[in-house]
Amino acid sequence: MASWNVYAQRVRSYNQEIWGAAIFGVDGTLWGQDGVNITNDHTKGLKQDIQTIVEVINDFENTNSKVFTDGFRFFEKQWAVVRVDAGLMVGKGKAPNSSQFAARKANKCIVIALARDEGSKANALSGAVQIGDWLEDAGF
């Protein structure tokens, strides 16, 4: 996993407001992280959270999905969906969580970026998309 941590660090390097990044396999297996401190205690719940996020992204044209009304969970926090497109999901934390969320799904993995709710609303998006695009082009 240590070598994948470098890619999570790259996600954070795109914007100073990004406080956490993680890369998971599309099955929910943690590949790498930086700034989020994911432990074994978190992995079971996170695996299901990631699988749900992947399902929503894969079915992005389904605007009747329950996730649009109920939101989703990630890292033991509740999030509201802001946008879902092909390969991309953007969210906003539900109170008291005020962070930004972005997930960029590539072929075999999903890149997650979490950012402070300061400045541009695209803070988390920048890192997730840049590294997600690169990993997808590299076959991941």
Side-chain angles (χ1 to χ4, degrees):
M1 180 170 74
S3 63
W4 284 99
N5 288 346
V6 171
Y7 294 102
Q9 291 166 358
R10 293 283 301 152
V11 170
R12 289 188 65 197
S13 74
Y14 279 93
N15 189 302
Q16 66 184 5
E17 299 303 328
I18 298 173
W19 57 263
I23 301 171
F24 295 87
V26 293
D27 65 351
T29 303
L30 179 64
W31 287 11
Q33 64 176 318
D34 187 54
V36 286
N37 195 25
I38 297 170
T39 65
N40 285 337
D41 294 339
H42 298 115
T43 55
K44 185 177 181 187
L46 275 174
K47 204 168 214 178
Q48 181 57 52
D49 294 347
I50 292 298
Q51 290 171 347
T52 298
I53 292 166
V54 168
E55 288 171 14
V56 170
I57 291 172
N58 286 344
D59 194 25
F60 71 95
E61 292 177 328
N62 180 8
T63 56
N64 294 323
S65 174
K66 203 173 176 190
V67 74
F68 289 103
T69 55
D70 296 349
F72 64 99
R73 288 188 55 76
F74 177 73
F75 203 52
E76 300 176 354
K77 295 180 183 338
Q78 281 297 122
W79 304 83
V81 173
V82 172
R83 174 178 149 202
V84 180
D85 289 317
L88 181 68
M89 184 168 157
V90 179
K92 171 87 173 108
K94 290 185 177 183
N97 175 18
S98 64
S99 294
Q100 299 173 29
F101 171 96
R104 168 60 171 90
K105 182 187 166 288
N107 299 314
K108 300 176 186 175
C109 65
I110 186 164
V111 179
I112 306 284
L114 306 170
R116 288 181 269 289
D117 186 28
E118 298 171 6
S120 170
K121 295 299 181 201
N123 288 338
L125 195 58
S126 60
V129 168
Q130 296 289 334
I131 295 300
D133 287 351
W134 188 88
L135 289 171
E136 186 170 68
D137 290 346
F140 292 100

